[in-house]
């Protein structure tokens, strides 16, 4: 396992605090749109939820063309990172784990916010595709998430010219 470098001090950039409330409102909106979860998470219910989540991923080429995908080593298989490099000076790298409780969702769900926040923060926005259950049972998702974070701690500066600052 890769050993991360020293933890930065301060741990976060206080200039990003203004965005926390906005992200909370977005999470509440998504929750309201999705409604109540099914009484039982059958394979059919999981498949239906995954199809619903696809609606949050933009398909327009003017958006999707702003991202590249890259594979990095993972604990069981390669992990795909979806990366947006802003058109401004890069100050930081931000790692996102898409919503979905480790069984639904995809990195592209965050494309619009990645573009917006990447440009306003001056951050390379990275979203990791972690293992989804039940096909990849727990702790596959958290293990992949940890591997992506450790890889960025070790490689972000060399790859993107800035350290990992936000997870």
């Amino acid at each position: 396992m890769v050993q991360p470098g020293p933890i930065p001090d301060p741990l976060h950039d206080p200039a990003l605090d203004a965005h926390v409330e906005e992200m909370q409102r977005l999470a509440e909106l998504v929750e309201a749109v999705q409604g109540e979860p099914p009484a039982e998470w059958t394979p059919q219910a999981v498949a239906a939820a995954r199809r619903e989540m696809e609606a949050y991923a933009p398909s327009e080429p003017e958006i999707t063309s702003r991202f590249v995908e890259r594979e990095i080593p993972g604990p069981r298989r390669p992990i795909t990172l979806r990366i947006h490099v802003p058109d401004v000076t890069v100050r930081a790298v931000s790692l996102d784990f898409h919503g979905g409780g480790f069984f639904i969702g995809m990195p592209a769900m965050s494309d619009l916010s990645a573009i917006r926040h990447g440009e306003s923060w001056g951050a390379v926005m990275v979203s990791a595709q972690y293992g989804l259950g039940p096909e990849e049972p727990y702790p596959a998702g958290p293990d992949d998430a940890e591997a992506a974070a450790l890889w960025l701690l070790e490689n972000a500066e060399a790859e993107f010219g800035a350290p990992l600052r936000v997870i």
Side-chain angles (χ1 to χ4, degrees):
M1 170 122 329
V2 175
Q3 294 298 315
I7 296 176
D9 184 29
L11 192 54
H12 78 286
D13 183 345
L16 302 177
D17 289 346
H19 299 285
V20 171
E21 188 175 312
E22 177 183 356
M23 296 306 289
Q24 180 62 40
R25 283 194 310 269
L26 178 62
E28 290 167 1
L29 176 64
V30 168
E31 191 173 289
V33 169
Q34 289 176 340
E36 290 295 315
E40 183 180 350
W41 283 105
T42 63
Q44 295 81 8
V46 170
R50 287 179 179 170
R51 285 190 301 276
E52 260 185 58
M53 295 301 276
E54 289 176 11
Y56 291 100
S59 59
E60 300 84 0
E62 61 271 12
I63 295 170
T64 60
S65 67
R66 298 183 70 179
F67 291 83
V68 296
E69 291 191 347
R70 173 169 185 184
E71 287 189 344
I72 62 168
R76 294 168 327 289
R77 57 163 176 75
I79 298 168
T80 300
L81 302 179
R82 187 166 178 82
I83 303 166
H84 168 67
V85 178
D87 293 328
V88 297
T89 301
V90 172
R91 302 175 337 149
V93 174
S94 174
L95 175 59
D96 173 63
F97 299 114
H98 63 79
F102 293 109
F103 70 100
I104 58 176
M106 67 195 79
M109 292 171 28
S110 302
D111 281 3
L112 293 176
S113 63
I115 292 170
R116 182 169 178 229
H117 293 124
E119 300 298 325
S120 68
W121 298 347
V124 172
M125 303 298 286
V126 179
S127 186
Q129 177 59 61
Y130 51 76
L132 300 176
E135 298 86 355
E136 296 185 62
Y138 180 86
D143 286 350
D144 288 349
E146 177 186 39
L150 291 172
W151 187 89
L152 283 169
L153 281 169
E154 183 71 25
N155 296 287
E157 187 89 42
E159 294 286 327
F160 306 113
L164 176 64
R165 291 280 191 215
V166 178
I167 298 178

